[in-house]
Amino acid sequence: MSKKEAREQIEQLREEIRDHNYRYYVLDEPAISDAEYDRMFRQLEELEAQFPDLVTADSPTQRVGAPPREELGTVTHRVPMLSLQSVYSEEEMRHFVETVIAEAGEDVTFVAEPKYDGLAVSLTYEDGSLTVAATRGDGTTGEDITDNVRTIRAVPLKLMSGEGTPLPEVVEVRGEIYIPLAAFRELNRRREARGEPAFANPRNAAAGSVRQLDSNITASRPLNIYAYGVGAVSGYEFSSEGEVLEMLTRWGFRVDERNALCRGAAECLDFYRRLAEQREQLPYEIDGVVFKVNELAMQGQMGTRTRSPRWAVAYKFPAYRETTRINDIIVSVGRMGALTPVALLEPVEIGGATVQRASLHNQDEIDRKDIRIGDAVIIERAGDVIPYVVKAISEQRTGDERKFRIPDACPVCGTEVLRAEDEPVVHCPNIDCPAQLQGRIAHFASRRAMDIEGLGEKIVAQLVESGLVEHLPDIYDLTVQQLASLERMAQKSAQNLLDALEASKQTTLARFLYSLSIVHVGEYVARLLADHFGTLPAVEQASCDELVAVEGIGPQIAESVLNFFGEERNRQIVGDLIDRGIEIEQQEITADALVGRTFVFTGTLDSFTREQATEQVERRGGRVTSSVSSRTDYVIIGEEPGSKYQQAQELGVTTIAEEEFRELLGNS
Ligand code: IVH
C-alpha cells in the first residue's frame, strides 16, 4: 500500500471509529457490535504500526500509554476559571434575579444547569484537537492532567465539525469530571474485596483518579464528564450560553439534557424545586443549580467580582451535612476479617434520614483528620452512600476528648490483628473468628470456591445461629436430621445439601485455597499458588522467598499467605477439613501463568481495546478465543458484559475483572 492510500484509509477509519465512540460514550446508543468495532480498531492499529509517522495524538488509538510522571506540571488558563457565588434561600435567589432584571430588563433569560459535585476542568483544543487538560487550581493556574484526561472516553480527542459547526483555532472547553454513582459503588466494592481502602465519596474518587501520576490508573477508573461552558475562544463569537451549550453538543461533548432556559424568578425557582425532588434518583451527585445570564452581551455589561461573575449564581441544595458529636468509637469486624472503626454518633437527621453511625474507614483516616472520641464533627450523607465524618470541629474541644487507637487484638475473638506494611486496613487473621464465621462459610461454599449447592447465606446464618456449626469444618458433620430441623428445609433438600457437601470434597488446590478467604488471595492468586506449588503442604510450608519468586506474587500477598498459615488455629482448621475427607486433585506445575491459557473477553474494557488486550495475552503465550467453553481458563469481564459472563458462570470458568486482568498482565 502506498503512503497516500494508507493515509486515506487511516483517516477514514478514524472518522468511523470516532463516530462509534461518540455513539457509545456520549449518546449511549451504540450502532455496531463490539466485534465490528474491534475489527476496525485493529485495522487502524495495524496501519498505524506499518506507517508510524502517520500516528497523530488525536487518533482513537492514542488514549493510553503515557509513561508515569514524577509530578504534574502547571497550566495557566487563558481565561481564568471563576468560582460562583452561592445562595441558599428563595429570598436570596429572588434577589439575584431581580438585580439582574433591574440592570438588563425584563427580557433577560437564565440558563439553569445542575451543579455537579465533581471536579472542574478546562480542556484546550487547538485546531480541533485536544492539546491540554487542566484542573481549576487557584483559578489562574491549574495542574496539567492531559495524559489522564485523554483516557476518559467521553472526552473527544478531536472535535466534530461540519456545516454550522465551525472549529475555532483555540477553544477552552469547561466542564465537570465526575464518577456516576452506580460505578462508584462498584469501584468501592472491588476495592474492598481486594482489601483496599474505599473512597469516601464520588467526588474524592474522581479527584484522586484525575490527579494520578500514572494515566493507566486513571484509565481503569469509571470517569465521565459533562461540558457546561467555554473559556477563551478565538475566531468565533458566541452570543448566548444556550448557543455555547448547543455548540458543545455538536462538537461531541456530553451536555446535560436537564439544562433549561428560564425567564423570571418563578421559573428559576420552579426549576430548582423540580431538580431538588429528583436529586436522590439522579445517577450522579449534584449539590445545587447554577443559573447563568443567557445573553453574553449582558454578562459583559454586568462584569465580574474578584473571583466570581455578577451574572451567575449557584443556588445550593440544603447540604446533606450536619454537625453532631461522636459518643464513642467501636470496631466492627467484617465478614472477611477487616477491622473498621465506626463512630457512634449523637443521632442527627440529615436530609430526611436519621444517622447514628458513620464509618471512619481506618486508623490512617482517623489520624489524618485527627478525630477524637467526644469531638463535635461534621457528618455528610451523600445520596445513599454510607455517611462519613468530614472533619472534627477542633475549636469546640473542651479537653475531655480522647484519642482512639485501633486495638492490637480482634475485639471479637482476641486474636492479634495483622497490619501489612503500606496498608491502612488491619485484619483479624483467625479463620475461626465468630464475627467472620458466617461470611467465611458462605464464601467457602460459594460456587467459585467449594461449590456447595444449597449452602447459601440464609442457611449458613441459621446453622451458625442455632449453634449447629461453631467452626467451619463442622459443616461436614451435619446430619439429615439436623438439617431438616432448619426453617424451610424439607427432608429432600436436606438430603440434597448433604450430597452437595459430600461432592464438594473432591476439589482442586486452587479452589481450596480460594475458599479459605485468605486476604489478597482471590481466584487468580489461588490459581497462581496452585500452579506453582502443586500441593497443599508445599503452599503451607512455602517461605517468603519462595512465595515472591512466583510470577505475580508480590510481598503483600506473600505476607498475607505466611500470616495465614502461620496462625496455629488456621492450620488446625485446614487439617480438620482434610480429616473430614477433602481430597485435592494432584496438579501439574506450570512455569508461566499465561502460557497455554485460553482467554475470552466480554464487555468493554476501560484501558484496552480488544486488540490491545489480545496482543498482551498473546505476547505472553496465551490464546484468545471468541466463545466460552469448559476449556476456557479465564473470562475477562468488562463494562456491560454480554451472555458470555453467564456462560462462564454456568461452566464454572474463572471470571476476572479488568483490574485483576491488568495485574495478571503486569505480573507475567
Ligand atoms: S459554571 C463562571 N456550571 O462549580 C462560571 N460550574 O463555583 C463558572 N460547577 O468549580 C462555573 N457544575 O466545578 C458551572 N453547571 C455548572 C457547574 C459548575 C458544577 C462547579 C465548577 C466550579 C464551581 C464554581
Side-chain angles (χ1 to χ4, degrees):
M1 188 185 302
S2 74
K3 192 148 180 180
K4 181 164 172 289
E5 282 167 332
R7 182 175 287 124
E8 276 168 19
Q9 213 176 332
I10 284 177
E11 254 329 301
Q12 197 189 336
L13 281 165
R14 283 180 189 162
E15 282 305 311
E16 275 184 66
I17 291 169
R18 279 185 196 118
D19 180 53
H20 289 299
N21 269 341
Y22 177 69
R23 286 168 191 272
Y24 192 99
Y25 292 102
V26 179
L27 301 182
D28 209 7
E29 285 166 5
I32 55 168
S33 70
D34 284 7
E36 253 172 292
Y37 178 87
D38 287 354
R39 194 183 46 72
M40 272 195 272
F41 204 99
R42 192 157 40 219
Q43 215 182 335
L44 175 59
E45 280 182 328
E46 279 163 12
L47 281 169
E48 287 183 350
Q50 238 176 305
F51 297 92
D53 53 327
L54 295 182
V55 177
T56 56
D58 62 11
S59 171
T61 58
Q62 304 301 301
R63 289 230 179 233
V64 271
R69 300 180 166 274
E70 296 277 317
E71 58 178 4
L72 299 173
T74 55
V75 173
T76 302
H77 306 302
R78 290 168 205 242
V79 168
M81 294 178 78
L82 298 176
S83 58
L84 290 167
Q85 190 172 49
S86 296
V87 299
Y88 297 93
S89 66
E90 280 198 20
E91 199 186 328
E92 287 176 290
M93 184 59 205
R94 279 216 175 82
H95 178 73
F96 167 73
V97 174
E98 278 154 20
T99 313
V100 174
I101 290 178
E103 206 166 321
E106 289 285 337
D107 285 341
V108 69
T109 53
F110 298 89
V111 169
E113 301 167 1
K115 184 169 189 298
Y116 311 102
D117 201 4
L119 127 133
V121 289
S122 180
L123 312 173
T124 306
Y125 289 83
E126 294 173 64
D127 296 322
S129 295
L130 176 67
T131 50
V132 175
T135 61
R136 191 171 93 110
D138 63 7
T140 309
T141 40
E143 282 175 310
D144 185 340
I145 49 168
T146 313
D147 289 342
N148 296 338
V149 168
R150 294 176 72 83
T151 69
I152 303 172
R153 302 292 158 142
V155 171
L157 297 181
K158 190 171 181 209
L159 301 181
M160 303 196 301
S161 59
E163 227 189 286
T165 315
L167 288 184
E169 231 169 275
V170 179
V171 56
E172 288 176 324
V173 172
R174 304 280 161 85
E176 195 91 348
I177 291 182
Y178 70 98
I179 293 185
L181 277 164
F184 171 74
R185 283 184 214 111
E186 176 61 16
L187 177 66
N188 264 355
R189 195 191 61 71
R190 288 191 188 172
R191 285 175 72 81
E192 279 171 350
R194 286 194 302 265
E196 293 168 7
F199 290 111
N201 58 43
R203 185 190 50 237
N204 287 4
S209 301
V210 161
R211 298 183 60 254
Q212 289 290 329
L213 295 172
D214 180 354
S215 59
N216 284 298
I217 297 177
T218 314
S220 72
R221 304 277 170 78
L223 296 163
N224 211 330
I225 188 168
Y226 270 124
Y228 53 62
V230 291
V233 188
S234 63
Y236 191 81
E237 284 286 326
F238 285 107
S239 66
S240 69
E241 290 287 345
E243 195 197 344
V244 169
L245 294 175
E246 169 67 24
M247 193 64 78
L248 289 170
T249 309
R250 292 201 203 179
W251 280 334
F253 287 95
R254 291 182 74 236
V255 175
D256 208 323
E257 287 166 1
R258 294 176 181 86
N259 296 341
L261 200 63
C262 303
R263 196 184 291 268
E267 279 186 29
C268 290
L269 292 175
D270 211 44
F271 182 91
Y272 173 85
R273 284 186 211 116
R274 263 183 293 132
L275 203 63
E277 271 169 30
Q278 293 170 27
R279 183 181 182 190
E280 294 253 5
Q281 277 82 51
L282 292 181
Y284 47 83
E285 292 205 322
I286 61 175
D287 58 356
V289 179
V290 180
F291 292 95
K292 304 170 189 168
V293 167
N294 185 31
E295 296 78 14
L296 298 192
M298 203 57 241
Q299 289 186 358
Q301 203 176 310
M302 293 187 73
T304 68
R305 306 179 193 90
T306 331
R307 300 195 52 222
S308 61
R310 289 183 203 282
W311 43 263
V313 78
Y315 186 3
K316 301 291 273 295
F317 290 138
Y320 283 156
R321 273 185 177 212
E322 278 307 330
T323 57
T324 186
R325 194 164 297 278
I326 297 185
N327 290 331
D328 201 359
I329 296 177
I330 59 163
V331 174
S332 91
V333 184
R335 34 184 286 151
M336 295 306 173
L339 268 62
T340 307
V342 176
L344 300 185
L345 307 168
E346 196 54 43
V348 59
E349 197 179 294
I350 311 184
T354 306
V355 176
Q356 321 203 35
R357 290 169 165 245
S359 169
L360 293 168
H361 301 288
N362 54 61
Q363 186 73 45
D364 286 0
E365 187 90 353
I366 294 176
D367 295 346
R368 196 170 53 76
K369 293 182 179 166
D370 187 19
I371 292 169
R372 305 181 192 176
I373 299 168
D375 264 342
V377 286
I378 296 174
I379 305 291
E380 190 168 291
R381 178 184 78 89
D384 54 359
V385 177
I386 300 162
Y388 78 104
V389 178
V390 179
K391 61 177 230 157
I393 311 172
S394 52
E395 302 78 40
Q396 291 189 20
R397 285 198 178 134
T398 61
D400 291 339
E401 294 75 16
R402 281 178 294 129
K403 290 210 178 199
F404 170 84
R405 274 236 56 89
I406 205 146
D408 293 329
C410 170
V412 177
C413 71
T415 306
E416 196 181 322
V417 297
L418 293 176
R419 177 173 189 157
E421 226 179 293
D422 297 336
E423 266 186 74
V425 184
V426 300
H427 287 91
C428 166
N430 177 12
I431 191 177
D432 212 20
C433 171
Q436 304 170 48
L437 190 59
Q438 286 189 24
R440 290 198 187 248
I441 295 177
H443 174 75
F444 183 85
S446 66
R447 188 159 197 161
R448 333 252 345 131
M450 298 297 276
D451 192 17
I452 307 173
E453 208 182 321
L455 192 54
E457 284 184 29
K458 290 210 178 96
I459 302 285
V460 171
Q462 286 190 57
L463 288 170
V464 173
E465 280 157 17
S466 66
L468 286 174
V469 171
E470 288 178 24
H471 311 282
L472 175 60
D474 295 349
I475 59 172
Y476 287 110
D477 297 334
L478 291 165
T479 64
V480 176
Q481 286 71 28
Q482 287 174 330
L483 286 172
S485 73
L486 300 178
E487 251 171 70
R488 297 219 307 261
M489 177 74 91
Q491 193 82 13
K492 177 88 171 45
S493 14
Q495 186 58 52
N496 288 345
L497 179 47
L498 269 199
D499 294 345
L501 278 158
E502 201 50 41
S504 74
K505 291 179 180 172
Q506 303 298 320
T507 192
T508 62
L509 182 55
R511 272 182 184 271
F512 186 70
L513 289 172
Y514 172 57
S515 75
L516 296 175
S517 308
I518 305 171
V519 177
H520 297 315
V521 181
E523 271 188 283
Y524 166 62
V525 171
R527 190 154 185 166
L528 287 183
L529 290 168
D531 284 353
H532 185 88
F533 292 101
T535 68
L536 182 60
V539 179
E540 285 179 308
Q541 287 153 26
S543 68
C544 186
D545 288 345
E546 285 165 341
L547 286 165
V548 294
V550 181
E551 296 259 5
I553 298 208
Q556 262 192 4
I557 300 175
E559 192 183 344
S560 174
V561 173
L562 283 175
N563 283 330
F564 182 86
F565 290 111
E567 202 60 54
E568 160 79 46
R569 190 69 195 118
N570 293 347
R571 284 198 307 273
Q572 195 179 332
I573 294 281
V574 169
D576 287 349
L577 285 168
I578 300 295
D579 289 347
R580 297 298 190 282
I582 287 179
E583 281 179 35
I584 294 171
E585 236 171 64
Q586 205 54 44
Q587 182 128 10
E588 266 177 49
I589 299 180
T590 53
D592 189 315
L594 266 62
V595 171
R597 296 266 186 242
T598 309
F599 289 73
V600 172
F601 294 99
T602 178
T604 321
L605 300 180
D606 267 338
S607 46
F608 305 91
T609 63
R610 285 277 173 90
E611 304 40 48
Q612 289 168 333
T614 303
E615 192 202 313
Q616 297 288 338
V617 169
E618 287 172 354
R619 212 188 272 166
R620 291 166 178 78
R623 213 159 60 87
V624 174
T625 62
S626 55
S627 56
V628 185
S629 78
S630 56
R631 285 193 300 276
T632 307
D633 290 286
Y634 297 102
V635 176
I636 317 299
I637 311 295
E639 293 275 312
E640 296 182 37
S643 59
K644 290 175 201 165
Y645 182 33
Q646 216 176 338
Q647 285 164 13
Q649 294 202 309
E650 280 161 14
L651 292 166
V653 173
T654 306
T655 54
I656 60 179
E658 178 167 359
E659 294 232 10
E660 296 164 274
F661 174 59
R662 281 157 39 82
E663 280 164 29
L664 194 158
L665 293 178
N667 289 332
S668 60

